[in-house]
Amino acid sequence: MHSAKRVNIVSVKLVKESSMLYKQRRVRSPQDSYELFREYLGDVDREHFVVMCLDTKNQPTNISTVHVGSLNASIVHPREVMKTAILSSIICCHPHPSGDPTPSPEDIEITERLAAACKLLSIELLDHIIIGEDKFISLKEKGYF
């Protein structure tokens, strides 16, 4: 005879840690995304994979750092990205501390994996922005998804 197994009753909640003012109200372009992410990230010394959730009017609702990596890599799993994205459209972003925003093969691979996961969950992946020293690259504009 087997003993009973206790099952936890849980819920997932977003916890507001702080906030920042976004004067544009809406994200209308990759440039808008870049400027907001740049303000959020400041001058980081390692890769941070960041997700911005947007409402149906493309107004940012929240930003979360999904993973902080090393100087030149950040391991990202789609389930971590999707935690805050279930009820939103998303734009992902990460800086290249080297200053060169050219996408690496790993950047392209995670973008493709995220696009597939978003499609499966009916979440719109609006863009993946890579921030360099004084410029950025939109992986959507470059045709990676």
Side-chain angles (χ1 to χ4, degrees), residues 8-15 83:
N8 296 324
I9 308 300
V10 302
S11 65
V12 176
K13 298 179 182 180
L14 293 177
V15 177
K83 279 182 184 178

Side-chain angles (χ1 to χ4, degrees), residues 66-138:
V66 174
H67 188 266
V68 178
S70 63
L71 183 62
N72 62 358
S74 181
I75 308 302
V76 180
H77 195 283
R79 77 172 165 252
E80 298 301 318
V81 173
M82 299 308 162
K83 279 182 184 178
T84 60
I86 292 298
L87 300 175
S88 308
S89 298
I90 63 171
I91 298 174
C92 298
C93 169
H94 75 278
H96 280 179
S98 68
D100 179 5
T102 303
S104 68
E106 294 82 10
D107 294 336
I108 295 165
E109 179 187 348
I110 190 59
T111 301
E112 290 170 347
R113 288 179 63 207
L114 289 172
C118 284
K119 184 175 182 178
L120 181 67
L121 296 170
S122 298
I123 296 169
E124 189 176 6
L125 176 60
L126 298 173
D127 211 336
H128 182 173
I129 306 290
I130 301 176
I131 296 176
E133 180 67 31
D134 55 1
K135 59 185 176 178
F136 70 95
I137 288 182
S138 160

Side-chain angles (χ1 to χ4, degrees), residues 38 40-48 71 94-98:
R38 185 54 126 176
Y40 171 73
L41 287 168
D43 291 324
V44 294
D45 64 348
R46 64 196 76 194
E47 288 204 10
H48 290 62
L71 183 62
H94 75 278
H96 280 179
S98 68

